[in-house]
Amino acid sequence: MSKLWSPSVRELTPYVPGEQPREKLIKLNTNENPYPPAPGVERVLREFSPDHLRRYPDPTSSALRDSLAHALGTTADQVFAGNGSDEVLALAFQAFFRQERPLAMPDISYSFYPVYCRMYGIDSCTFPLNDDWSVDLDALASDSGGVIFANPNAPTGHGHGREAIAALLEKVTDRVVLVDEAYVDFGGESAVPLVERYPNLLVTGTFSKSRSLAGLRLGYAVGSPELIEGLIRVKDSFNSYPVDALASAVGIAALEDTDYFEATRQAVITTRERTRQRLAQLGFEVLPSQTNFVLATHPEHDAAQLFLGLRERGVLVRHFNTEALRHYLRISIGTDDEMDSLVEVLEILCR
Ligand SMILES: *Cc1c(COP(=O)(O)O)cnc(C)c1O
């Protein structure tokens, strides 16, 4: 704590990201994609002229937004691009959720949401998940200054279909509903087609997971031009150039290779189901998942101990030390070989 900090900075509770270890571990802790980005990405990196870096990038990211609009089946004026979806979320909190009434969210969801609430002085009201760990959409429809949740949700892996989101939007019409679709490509159903019908719906997405580009920092939002304009107002009051020239070119190359995208996301889904089966054989209870991770608990083995045992043997997973999650491990889906190594270690630890 430093006296040199602004008073408000002393009050912050920063997000704690999963560790990025320097030693060589099988890394199943931050939901990164085990496959490299599309081959076109390597071509862009090889051929990119350093001279392009002399100039500022396009402040409106129009080429990237065109490409996103094409991939998502929207128009470019319904798309906003930013420096990772965490940044897009931060801009959305400022643009839409600084309201008199508190922001409604599930009690178990992406832990960045409460961090932004504190940062921007936004009160929140949280609602428990249903018994099957699904987000309680009926509860989220109650009076609030806005609604946010991840769909599929993290770290539970449960996702609601588009019909359920539409039903929520029929009830909530006077405030923004933000659906964070960081994991939707691994088996969820996107709410993007609803954007045309509901001007208060904002959907965010990221290149970090299904596009294997977590190191690049690219994210986006899809919504009515009215909402996009709100985001642009905040962006242009903070950083006019969030997406750099290289990131834009790489992002476009990743979006263009639809075959590679299909193949890698299917591979993750197949490995996930295989992993769920193998964990179940070891006595784990594994929640169904529409994401690139699973949440698992073992009735006879303490999750914190399993986390440490795995780490000692070179496998890194995520353990959240909260009341609701401390009996669970969140395990990202890697390659089949990586998941075999995980299972081998768990066979020893669960003997
Ligand atoms: C990973 C993740 C993000 C952040 O993605 P970036 O684009 O890497 O910032 C946002 N929301 C959820 C739920 C995530 O899991």
Side-chain angles (χ1 to χ4, degrees):
M1 217 38 94
S2 166
K3 287 215 171 68
L4 299 174
W5 298 348
S6 305
S8 61
V9 170
R10 291 176 221 152
E11 302 297 314
L12 295 178
T13 324
Y15 178 75
V16 184
E19 66 179 306
Q20 295 290 359
R22 298 184 67 164
E23 67 263 47
K24 188 121 184 73
L25 296 176
I26 294 179
K27 208 175 158 299
L28 306 174
N29 69 328
T30 52
N31 301 341
E32 290 147 335
N33 199 307
Y35 302 107
V41 166
E42 199 191 330
R43 211 170 310 125
V44 168
L45 292 174
R46 229 182 309 113
E47 291 169 8
F48 192 84
S49 164
D51 192 53
H52 288 323
L53 298 179
R54 211 163 44 75
R55 295 190 191 275
Y56 283 105
D58 170 12
T60 64
S61 301
S62 56
L64 176 62
R65 283 172 43 240
D66 284 345
S67 191
L68 273 166
H70 180 73
L72 297 164
T74 64
T75 56
D77 66 350
Q78 293 171 319
V79 179
F80 177 88
N83 189 5
S85 72
D86 285 340
E87 184 195 73
V88 176
L89 288 167
L91 298 174
F93 270 65
Q94 294 178 78
F96 310 121
F97 296 148
R98 296 179 91 163
Q99 307 285 353
E100 289 292 312
R101 292 172 298 169
L103 175 62
M105 63 178 81
D107 64 346
I108 300 175
S109 196
Y110 189 35
S111 43
F112 229 126
Y113 308 150
V115 173
Y116 287 142
C117 280
R118 269 192 96 103
M119 168 111 155
Y120 298 120
I122 298 164
D123 286 330
S124 60
C125 46
T126 58
F127 296 94
L129 300 182
N130 294 317
D131 290 342
D132 64 352
W133 292 74
S134 62
V135 169
D136 187 346
L137 295 178
D138 291 330
L140 287 181
S142 57
D143 190 37
S144 71
V147 180
I148 187 168
F149 58 98
N151 192 55
N153 197 16
T156 63
H158 178 276
H160 282 291
R162 192 179 301 143
E163 291 286 308
I165 309 295
L168 170 70
L169 287 157
E170 288 296 327
K171 290 186 257 180
V172 181
T173 55
D174 61 343
R175 51 200 186 269
V176 171
V177 174
L178 196 163
V179 182
D180 177 346
E181 293 191 348
Y183 298 105
V184 76
D185 297 326
F186 301 109
E189 191 175 26
S190 177
V192 164
L194 300 177
V195 153
E196 203 64 56
R197 212 178 336 146
Y198 301 100
N200 61 326
L201 168 64
L202 191 74
V203 178
T204 58
T206 176
F207 286 67
S208 298
K209 277 83 186 222
S210 58
R211 305 277 174 182
S212 307
L213 289 169
L216 190 76
R217 314 306 303 130
L218 265 188
Y220 58 88
V222 188
S224 59
E226 180 187 344
L227 294 188
I228 300 306
E229 193 189 329
L231 288 172
I232 294 170
R233 281 176 76 89
V234 178
K235 171 195 84 101
D236 286 342
S237 307
F238 172 68
N239 175 7
S240 319
Y241 308 102
V243 179
D244 64 78
L246 182 57
S248 171
V250 168
I252 290 167
L255 289 170
E256 277 169 354
D257 198 336
T258 51
D259 290 347
Y260 184 83
F261 176 62
E262 274 308 313
T264 48
R265 76 190 184 107
Q266 275 309 327
V268 169
I269 291 169
T270 304
T271 303
R272 176 187 72 212
E273 293 311 311
R274 182 170 166 270
T275 303
R276 289 189 62 225
Q277 269 178 11
R278 299 196 60 193
L279 291 175
Q281 282 162 4
L282 291 177
F284 282 87
E285 287 165 30
V286 192
L287 267 62
S289 170
Q290 298 182 4
T291 64
N292 66 340
F293 59 80
V294 291
L295 196 63
T297 183
H298 198 293
E300 286 145 37
H301 296 277
D302 179 60
Q305 291 297 320
L306 289 176
F307 169 85
L308 290 173
L310 281 163
R311 200 184 154 130
E312 261 166 39
R313 290 164 180 81
V315 183
L316 189 54
V317 298
R318 192 93 194 250
H319 178 246
F320 297 97
N321 210 356
T322 62
E323 181 61 28
L325 295 171
R326 81 188 130 85
H327 299 303
Y328 288 82
L329 296 175
R330 191 198 67 186
I331 305 168
S332 308
I333 302 303
T335 61
D336 278 328
D337 281 353
E338 288 174 325
M339 302 324 274
D340 287 348
S341 303
L342 166 90
V343 170
E344 271 167 37
V345 175
L346 286 173
E347 271 165 358
I348 299 165
L349 297 175
C350 294
R351 237 191 330 243

